[in-house]
Amino acid sequence: MDGRDLVRSVGLVGSKQGLRTVRYAWQRARADARALPARGPERARVPGILVGAEPGPGGGVVRFARSELRIRVAVGGAVFWGWDGAEPLPSYALPGAAPDADPRALLEPDKDGGWQVVSERLTVVVSRLGAVELRTPGGVVLRRELPPRWWEPVAGGPARWVQRSEVPADARFFGLGGRAAGPRLRDGVYGLWNTDPGGRFGPQDDPLYLTMPVQVVVSDAGTHLAFHDNSWAGRVALREGAEGAGSGHDRPGTSEVRMDGGPLRCWVVVGTPARVLQGWSALTGAPALPPSWALGPQHARWGFGSEREVRRIAAGYRERGLPLSVLHLDIDHFDAHRVFTVDRERFPDLPGLAKELREDGVRLVSIVDPAVAAAPGNAVFDTGAAVGTSGAFVRDARGRAVRGEVWPGECVYPDFTDPQVREWWGGLYEERLAQGFSGIWHDMNEPVAFAAFGEPTLPRSSRHSMEGRGGDHREGHNVYGLAMARAGYEGLRRLRPQERPFLFSRSGWAGMQRYGGTWSGDVATGWPGLRASLALVLGLGLCGVPYSGPDVGGFDGSPSPELYLRWFQLGAYLPLFRTHAAIDAGRREPWEFGPRVLDGAREVLLERERLRPYWVTLAHLARLTGAPYVRPLWWAAPGDRALRECEDAFLLGDALLVAPVLAPGVEERSVRLPPGRWYDTVSGAVYEGPGQVVVEAPLARVPVLARAGAVIPVRGADGGPELEVWAPAAGVGGGGSVVRDAGDGWEPAVVERYTTRLVGGRVVVERDGDEALVDCPVRVRGV
C-alpha cells in the first residue's frame, strides 16, 4: 500500500472513517495471515484406476484406487454425483431433504470396462479412470466430465480441486448468476465470489454481487443445467467449441471449474429449457410469489431526504397521470445510517406518511443493510450481543466480533448461518412494519466492509456457525446474502402470516428464489449499462431467479433524455421495474427530462399497468413451473442456432417478444424471430418466423410483437379483466394460461387454460375445451 492508496482511502468516506478503513484493512490481512497459514507444499491426486462398484438406490458407488464416486438419480430426473464421499447434504441450495432416489435407475457394468446408470432421461457412464459422460437416451453425449484433480496440503487443510468438462462444439454457455457480459457467456474466466465492484459496474466487470456455479448449456444435442454445489471461492473458465469445416475435426467446448476448497459434487438436470427450469425449481425450491402490487412501477432515489420530498414525488406521478405502486426509502431515512431506526427530524411521522401514500395506492419499501453499528446503546447491537451463548455476530479465530467500516461507522455483522441469529434478525422487521413499510430491500449484503485496498469483505478467517457444524468465511461468504434473505423472509412470514412477503436482495446464491428476487445493483449509467441490465435479468432467470430488474437510468451520473427513455422502456418489460439513482446523480423522475420523455414514459407505464394481469399470471406460473418471466428467444426452439446468438431481445412469457433499443439514434432495428406468425402490437404489421425482420422503433415506443394465437389477460378500459387474443394462423392453433389475481395472501392458484383456433374466418376461444366457459370480454386483434 503506497501513499496514493492511503489518500484514496481517506477520501473515500471522510478522514476519520478513512483512517479506520485503512486500519481495518491491515487488521483483516493480519487476521488471515495468522488464522489461515500458507498452504505450503501440496500433493496432487487423481481418482486412479477403477477397482469396484456397489449398486445402491438410484445408482451406487464406483470405487477407484484413490477416491470414490457416488451417483444418484433422483425422482424427477435430476442426477447427483459426488467425489470423496460427498453427499447432497448439507447444502444451502436445497430447501430441505434431498430428493428421493429413483428406484428404476440401476448401476450396471458398461461394455468398456466402466459402469453406467440408465435412467429415463439420461444415461450416466463412468470410465475406468473416472471420466463421467452424460448421454441422451439415444446415446448422444451432452457433457463429458474428465477425471478431476485435487491438490492437498502436505501439512493438512482443505483440498482445492479442478473439474474439466467438454460439451458439444456447437454448445453455448449461459448462467453463472448475475453476469453483466451475458447472457451468452463467451470465452473467459468468471469469478465465483460475490463482490461489490465499488459504486458502479459495466459489461467488463466480473464478478458482481450475485455469483452461482450454475451453468446452462444449449446445443443441438439438448439443453442441460450443471450445478457444482460448493460455496467456496472459485472461478469458471469457459471456451466455446468450433465445428470442423469439411473433413476437419470438431473442437469441443470446454468448462473448467476450480474451487479453493469444499466438496466436489454436482447436480445435472436435462431436457427442454422449460423442463430444465422446472427440474431446477423442484430441486432448489419454488420461487417466492411477490404480492401483486410489487409487479407495478417502483421509484427510488438515494437522497429523498425528507417526508416533504417523498410527498412531492408521489404527487408528481399522480398529477401527471403516471402510475406508481411503490416508493423506496434508502439509507438517508435512517438515524445516523443505523438500520431499524428513523431520522425523526426529516421523517417525523413515517407511519402517517405510509398510511397517506397507501390510501393513494402507493406502498413504502425500506432498505435494510446487515452491518450493525457497534455502539453500546444501539438497540440492535445490544440485543444481538445477547443472542445465544456468544452473541449474534460473526467472530474471528480468537472469538472476538469482527468489525468493519460501513455507512454507520464501526460495525459488526450478524452471522445468518446460525438459526438463532436468523430468528432474532427476522423479529427485528417488526419495527419496519410498525413504521408502515410493506416490503424490504436488502443491500450491502455480500457483505461489504469499506476497503482501503484489496477486496471489500470480511476476513476469510472469520468464523461462522454454518448451521452448527462450524466453518469460516471462505465457505460462508457466498451464502451470506442468501441466509440473510432467509432470515428476513421467515421473519416477515411470522410477523404477517396472512400476507406474502416482498423482499429482494442484492446478493445471494443458488436457491435464493425461495425468499424473493434481486436487482442489478449499481449499474453504470451509459448505453453499455443499459445492455448489461438485460443480460443480468436473462442470466438470473436461467439460474432460477425469475424476479429481477436493473436500476432504471443507471445508478451514477446523468443519463441523456434518449438513454433514460430507452432504459425506462426496457425496465417496463422486466419483472422488477424500479428507477433508482445515487445521491449525487440528481433527480430522475420522468418529468425531469422534458415533455417528449414524459409522454413516452407515460405511454409505457400505462401499457405496463394494462398488462398487470399478464404479470400476475407470469408470477404464478414461475412459482408453479420455475419458468422465468423473461426468457431468451431460444426458449421454445433451443435447436435454432441463430436464436442462441441473439442477446438483444427477449420473450415475456410465451406470448410477447420485446425488442428494446440498446443503442443511441435508432429509429428501426432488426429482430430475429422464433418460428410462427408475429404481430406488431402497435402497427399491426404481420411477420413470419423463423427469420430476421426489420421493425419500426421510434423513440416514443419499444417494439413489442405478439405471437399468433396467444391469449393475454389484460385490464380492460373499465378496469375489469379482459382477454386479448391475437388471431391464430389458418390451421395452426394457439392459446395461453391465465391466473387471476386473488389478492396478496396465500390462496392457491387456479390456472385457466385457453385455446384459440380459426374456424371459417372466425376466431374461436375456448376455456378447458368449452367456449361457454369464457366468462370475461374477449378482444380479438390481428384479424
Side-chain angles (χ1 to χ4, degrees):
M1 177 176 176
D2 59 22
R4 287 174 298 178
D5 293 323
L6 178 62
V7 170
R8 264 198 306 270
S9 301
V10 172
L12 176 66
V13 286
S15 59
K16 185 177 180 181
Q17 283 189 323
L19 289 171
R20 285 204 301 260
T21 299
V22 175
R23 186 183 73 201
Y24 292 143
W26 282 113
Q27 290 175 344
R28 179 169 58 243
R30 288 203 310 270
D32 284 347
R34 182 171 52 247
L36 301 176
R39 296 180 64 88
E42 296 177 315
R43 297 189 192 93
R45 173 169 61 91
V46 294
I49 194 72
L50 190 151
V51 296
E54 180 183 334
V61 176
V62 183
R63 293 191 170 85
F64 298 84
R66 290 180 290 278
S67 187
E68 67 177 32
L69 173 67
R70 182 178 302 276
I71 303 175
R72 181 183 303 166
V73 178
V75 172
V79 177
F80 170 84
W81 68 80
W83 288 94
D84 283 359
E87 295 273 5
L89 298 176
S91 170
Y92 277 95
L94 275 58
D100 293 335
D102 185 346
R104 300 171 298 174
L106 302 175
L107 181 66
E108 57 191 28
D110 184 41
K111 61 183 179 181
D112 296 322
W115 290 78
Q116 68 176 9
V117 179
V118 180
S119 67
E120 180 181 1
R121 301 177 189 170
L122 196 66
T123 298
V124 183
V125 180
V126 183
S127 78
R128 293 183 300 111
L129 294 176
V132 179
E133 281 191 355
L134 307 176
R135 301 176 182 173
T136 67
V140 179
V141 177
L142 287 173
R143 187 182 188 95
R144 185 170 189 263
E145 304 276 338
L146 302 178
R149 183 180 293 267
W150 296 265
W151 289 269
E152 299 164 328
V154 173
R160 59 190 180 93
W161 53 262
V162 60
Q163 174 70 73
R164 296 183 175 95
S165 311
E166 295 178 348
V167 297
D170 66 286
R172 295 293 180 258
F173 295 99
F174 301 86
L176 295 183
R179 304 288 167 170
R184 172 183 160 197
L185 302 178
R186 289 172 169 78
D187 297 0
V189 179
Y190 300 87
L192 295 173
W193 187 256
N194 293 347
T195 303
D196 176 8
R200 61 181 179 181
F201 70 86
Q204 74 283 356
D205 293 305
D206 186 275
L208 298 178
Y209 313 95
L210 208 168
T211 66
M212 296 184 198
V214 178
Q215 299 178 27
V216 176
V217 183
V218 185
S219 69
D220 289 352
T223 302
H224 73 271
L225 179 151
F227 167 51
H228 290 87
D229 192 352
N230 183 317
S231 64
W232 282 62
R235 52 222 151 270
V236 180
L238 301 177
R239 187 179 73 163
E240 293 181 346
E243 294 181 293
S247 60
H249 294 290
D250 288 352
R251 174 172 58 80
T254 61
S255 163
E256 181 182 275
V257 179
R258 289 181 177 266
M259 289 292 185
D260 293 344
L264 174 43
R265 57 185 180 177
C266 186
W267 286 94
V268 170
V269 185
V270 302
T272 64
R275 177 169 281 185
V276 165
L277 266 294
Q278 187 171 30
W280 177 240
S281 176
L283 181 65
T284 60
L289 184 64
S292 58
W293 52 263
L295 298 169
Q298 307 184 37
H299 186 82
R301 191 174 78 224
W302 179 13
F304 279 149
S306 68
E307 288 186 10
R308 179 179 179 181
E309 178 67 1
V310 172
R311 287 189 174 91
R312 186 188 74 82
I313 298 300
Y317 271 85
R318 183 174 59 253
E319 292 164 2
R320 293 169 176 84
L322 304 174
L324 180 66
S325 293
V326 184
L327 281 168
H328 297 248
L329 298 191
D330 212 315
I331 56 174
D332 51 290
H333 87 278
F334 289 143
D335 182 12
H337 291 158
R338 295 183 180 183
V339 68
F340 301 116
T341 65
V342 176
D343 185 329
R344 300 294 179 183
E345 290 188 6
R346 292 184 293 172
F347 292 87
D349 184 16
L350 194 50
L353 174 65
K355 182 175 183 295
E356 174 187 323
L357 292 173
R358 190 161 179 167
E359 290 172 351
D360 286 332
V362 179
R363 312 276 184 136
L364 280 184
V365 166
S366 171
I367 191 172
V368 170
D369 290 354
V372 175
N378 173 15
V380 179
F381 177 74
D382 292 343
T383 58
V387 172
T389 58
S390 57
F393 306 113
V394 175
R395 297 188 169 270
D396 62 19
R398 296 182 175 183
R400 301 171 301 184
V402 174
R403 302 198 175 201
E405 192 74 18
V406 199
W407 301 118
E410 188 177 53
C411 291
V412 290
Y413 298 81
D415 180 7
F416 297 112
T417 69
D418 185 333
Q420 291 185 85
V421 175
R422 289 198 296 268
E423 184 174 3
W424 160 73
W425 185 264
L428 298 177
Y429 289 79
E430 184 173 11
E431 182 273 342
R432 295 286 86 185
L433 297 178
Q435 296 294 343
F437 290 107
S438 298
I440 301 296
W441 148 36
H442 285 173
D443 202 354
M444 304 287 284
N445 59 337
E446 289 70 35
V448 172
F450 291 151
F453 60 94
E455 58 187 17
T457 186
L458 304 185
R460 297 197 180 206
S461 57
S462 303
R463 304 297 298 173
H464 290 270
S465 165
M466 305 306 292
E467 312 307 316
R469 55 187 170 84
D472 60 40
H473 201 61
R474 293 174 297 177
E475 180 184 6
H477 173 84
N478 279 339
V479 297
Y480 190 89
L482 169 70
M484 182 186 181
R486 177 179 177 181
Y489 182 85
E490 291 178 347
L492 293 171
R493 283 290 308 265
R494 291 193 303 269
L495 293 167
R496 295 279 176 86
Q498 74 281 7
E499 296 180 7
R500 299 198 298 266
F502 176 55
L503 185 148
F504 64 101
S505 173
R506 190 169 81 173
S507 184
W509 202 63
M512 69 173 295
Q513 72 276 0
R514 301 190 296 265
Y515 312 118
T518 184
W519 94 104
S520 67
D522 303 339
V523 60
T525 297
W527 293 97
L530 172 60
R531 181 174 286 271
S533 297
L534 176 56
L536 285 159
V537 174
L538 281 166
L540 287 164
L542 292 173
C543 291
V545 184
Y547 184 85
S548 68
D551 281 347
V552 169
F555 182 69
D556 65 321
S558 301
S560 68
E562 180 189 12
L563 173 59
Y564 179 84
L565 181 54
R566 290 306 194 188
W567 216 318
F568 207 87
Q569 291 168 340
L570 169 64
Y573 287 94
L574 300 179
L576 173 57
F577 178 25
R578 184 183 79 146
T579 57
H580 185 225
I583 194 169
D584 57 353
R587 291 175 172 173
R588 289 281 190 85
E589 292 72 47
W591 54 88
E592 301 290 347
F593 293 87
R596 191 176 182 189
V597 170
L598 176 60
D599 290 343
R602 181 185 296 110
E603 180 176 331
V604 76
L605 280 174
L606 292 173
E607 179 63 8
R608 168 92 180 201
E609 286 300 278
R610 191 182 75 89
L611 289 172
R612 180 75 75 91
Y614 187 50
W615 285 105
V616 170
T617 294
L618 294 178
H620 280 279
L621 294 180
R623 181 166 181 80
L624 293 171
T625 69
Y629 311 20
V630 170
R631 308 164 188 178
L633 292 187
W634 48 259
W635 178 259
D640 188 326
R641 295 188 178 187
L643 292 178
R644 288 184 220 154
E645 309 295 326
C646 183
E647 302 178 274
D648 61 355
F650 59 92
L651 298 174
L652 182 59
D654 288 330
L656 297 177
L657 187 158
V658 183
V661 173
L662 305 176
V666 172
E667 292 290 328
E668 62 180 22
R669 57 153 295 175
S670 62
V671 181
R672 174 67 61 176
L673 295 180
R677 176 175 294 176
W678 297 86
Y679 298 93
D680 187 305
T681 57
V682 173
S683 70
V686 182
Y687 305 99
E688 298 291 340
Q692 188 159 305
V693 299
V694 176
V695 299
E696 296 179 355
L699 182 61
R701 68 179 180 90
V702 58
V704 178
L705 307 180
R707 189 190 302 272
V711 177
I712 305 174
V714 299
R715 282 181 179 169
D718 61 354
E722 182 177 286
L723 297 182
E724 183 172 272
V725 175
W726 289 88
V732 181
S737 297
V738 176
V739 181
R740 305 198 190 199
D741 188 1
D744 295 328
W746 299 98
E747 297 82 0
V750 177
V751 181
E752 303 171 6
R753 293 178 172 84
Y754 293 85
T755 57
T756 61
R757 53 197 172 93
L758 201 60
V759 179
R762 173 176 173 264
V763 176
V764 176
V765 182
E766 297 176 332
R767 174 181 169 185
D768 298 327
D770 190 341
E771 192 173 359
L773 293 178
V774 179
D775 60 356
C776 61
V778 175
R779 184 163 66 103
V780 177
R781 301 184 64 183
V783 176

